[in-house]
Amino acid sequence: MARWEPNAQERLVRAALELFTEQGYDTTTVNEIADRAGLTKTTFFRHFRDKREVLFAGQDTHTRLLADAIDAIDAIDAADGPVTPLEAVRAALDALTATFTDDRRDVGTRLRPVIAGHTELQERAALKRAKLTEAVTDALHRRGVPEPTASLAAELGIRAFYDAFDQWADPASEQTLTELTRRTLDELRAALAALD
Amino acid sequence: MARWEPNAQERLVRAALELFTEQGYDTTTVNEIADRAGLTKTTFFRHFRDKREVLFAGQDTHTRLLADAIDAIDAIDAADGPVTPLEAVRAALDALTATFTDDRRDVGTRLRPVIAGHTELQERAALKRAKLTEAVTDALHRRGVPEPTASLAAELGIRAFYDAFDQWADPASEQTLTELTRRTLDELRAALAALD
């Protein structure tokens, strides 16, 4: 058995979001999600522990992408002079946002109202955000960036990503998530100058 | 009935923290807390909805203190020239931390391990932190500070308060929470200059 199902995770995410949107998160079962995706329940559980986790599918990949992008900077560093903490964060965000291609925008659009409607999902979403921030902070520490600079740079970068994601998830939006995140980070950086 | 009990809220907080520390949060009942404080269960429920809320007693007072301090700046503003967002945040933090007199340091010391031991309490603590940040952000908006400057200033200030609180709650600490918070905010502000 255990056939390889092409793109199973993405199909399950899309099927779950369709069902959550149509009939609500609470009433949707794992069986229904697997059926809608044309997959078995066994395949579902190979990818996700429960239906809640479908909504946070990317957590491990995303933390790894952020950390790997920062860890990979060393080579560039030697050639082009020191990379600042915020430049490292920018590189990490570019790596992360490159995976949110525009054909996935509708996933973002559907995700937001489902999470907004459930305290349990908001808490889980807050944990994911904290994990992404931690991954960036830890990677900056490995580059020798001290506290509190490392965590401040990480918080600013992850905030830029989430603010930009909200804009990207708007069906009327035409920019890529990479463009939106870069612009938002620039705006946040500029706003710091107005603090005092 | 309903006699006025002098300092009932503070007595309940101290009694609860003693019991949580001695015998654990989960096993302690509201009856035991009221008994230890020398008060009735009825008095307990006049002050708190349940035993969890004892640990977050200050939320309403603290959000009000922060907001009122910022709202009160207008008069000063006219006399001494424009007050920057971070100066407004400093004033708010001074007002808040002034209420944490050093005879209350042991409350902080006991509070931390209780909250750290329970996911449910950590989530409640995260909500309180979000509410404090929101109160400062809203007060800055009322002064005409635009986004994202207002929320960035609020996040920085509330982070300074929490970082400083951790230091203050250390029994070996000798500085006031006001001094620690001011210094921490200065350090965070200075660290922003190292972002790029």
Side-chain angles (χ1 to χ4, degrees):
Chain A
M1 300 304 159
R3 287 179 302 137
W4 180 72
E5 298 286 356
N7 215 7
Q9 179 163 321
E10 175 77 7
R11 281 159 66 188
L12 288 165
V13 170
R14 288 184 172 275
L17 280 170
E18 278 175 25
L19 288 163
F20 294 162
T21 306
E22 287 165 20
Q23 65 190 36
Y25 171 76
D26 290 323
T27 53
T28 300
T29 66
V30 165
N31 267 333
E32 287 174 312
I33 297 169
D35 275 356
R36 175 71 65 103
L39 298 165
T40 65
K41 201 170 162 178
T42 310
T43 303
F44 179 96
F45 286 116
R46 256 205 305 281
H47 290 274
F48 302 108
R49 196 172 58 232
D50 52 42
K51 70 173 175 179
R52 191 180 71 161
E53 288 308 299
V54 180
L55 297 170
F56 305 97
Q59 180 172 305
D60 291 344
T61 320
H62 296 161
T63 50
R64 206 162 42 237
L65 272 166
L66 289 165
D68 287 353
I70 293 177
D71 290 342
I73 291 175
D74 286 327
I76 304 165
D77 211 352
D80 295 335
V83 168
T84 71
L86 220 50
E87 281 168 356
V89 169
R90 270 181 235 275
L93 293 174
D94 278 354
L96 174 61
T97 56
T99 67
F100 291 81
T101 46
D102 277 355
D103 59 311
R104 304 201 69 230
R105 191 193 300 266
D106 61 320
V107 172
T109 308
R110 283 188 162 145
L111 192 59
R112 290 193 309 168
V114 174
I115 293 178
H118 290 77
T119 309
E120 172 205 354
L121 298 178
Q122 286 167 25
E123 286 166 0
R124 179 67 185 80
L127 177 68
K128 176 171 177 183
R129 183 168 174 154
K131 290 288 176 195
L132 297 182
T133 307
E134 193 183 302
V136 174
T137 305
D138 289 349
L140 290 174
H141 289 165
R142 285 194 294 276
R143 290 180 62 72
V145 178
E147 278 305 309
T149 307
S151 57
L152 285 171
E155 282 164 14
L156 206 67
I158 297 302
R159 173 165 171 181
F161 171 71
Y162 276 88
D163 285 3
F165 190 90
D166 278 346
Q167 297 168 46
W168 181 70
D170 181 338
S173 169
E174 289 184 350
Q175 289 180 280
T176 65
L177 183 55
T178 302
E179 290 163 346
L180 290 166
T181 304
R182 284 182 184 172
R183 203 186 57 200
T184 306
L185 185 58
D186 287 344
E187 286 167 0
L188 290 173
R189 179 66 195 87
L192 291 178
L195 287 181
D196 50 18
Chain B
M1 301 307 156
R3 288 180 302 137
W4 180 71
E5 298 287 356
N7 216 8
Q9 178 162 321
E10 177 75 9
R11 281 159 66 189
L12 289 165
V13 170
R14 287 185 173 275
L17 280 170
E18 277 174 29
L19 289 163
F20 294 163
T21 306
E22 287 164 23
Q23 63 189 39
Y25 170 77
D26 289 324
T27 53
T28 301
T29 65
V30 165
N31 268 332
E32 288 174 312
I33 297 169
D35 276 355
R36 174 70 64 103
L39 298 166
T40 63
K41 200 170 161 179
T42 310
T43 303
F44 180 96
F45 286 117
R46 258 205 304 279
H47 289 274
F48 302 110
R49 197 173 56 231
D50 52 42
K51 69 173 177 180
R52 190 180 72 163
E53 288 307 299
V54 180
L55 297 170
F56 305 98
Q59 180 172 306
D60 290 345
T61 319
H62 296 160
T63 50
R64 208 164 40 235
L65 273 165
L66 290 165
D68 286 353
I70 293 176
D71 290 343
I73 291 174
D74 285 329
I76 304 164
D77 209 351
D80 295 336
V83 169
T84 70
L86 220 49
E87 282 168 354
V89 169
R90 270 182 235 274
L93 293 174
D94 278 354
L96 174 62
T97 56
T99 67
F100 291 81
T101 46
D102 278 355
D103 59 310
R104 304 202 69 231
R105 192 193 300 267
D106 61 321
V107 172
T109 308
R110 284 190 161 145
L111 192 60
R112 289 193 309 170
V114 175
I115 292 177
H118 289 77
T119 310
E120 172 205 352
L121 298 177
Q122 286 167 26
E123 285 167 359
R124 179 66 184 81
L127 177 67
K128 177 172 176 181
R129 182 169 175 152
K131 291 287 177 196
L132 296 183
T133 307
E134 194 182 301
V136 174
T137 305
D138 289 349
L140 290 173
H141 288 165
R142 286 194 293 276
R143 290 181 61 72
V145 178
E147 278 306 310
T149 305
S151 57
L152 286 170
E155 282 164 14
L156 206 67
I158 297 302
R159 176 169 167 178
F161 171 72
Y162 276 89
D163 285 3
F165 190 90
D166 279 346
Q167 298 171 45
W168 181 71
D170 183 337
S173 169
E174 290 183 352
Q175 289 181 278
T176 65
L177 183 55
T178 302
E179 289 163 347
L180 290 166
T181 304
R182 283 182 185 170
R183 202 185 59 201
T184 306
L185 186 58
D186 286 345
E187 286 167 1
L188 290 173
R189 179 64 194 90
L192 291 178
L195 288 180
D196 52 17

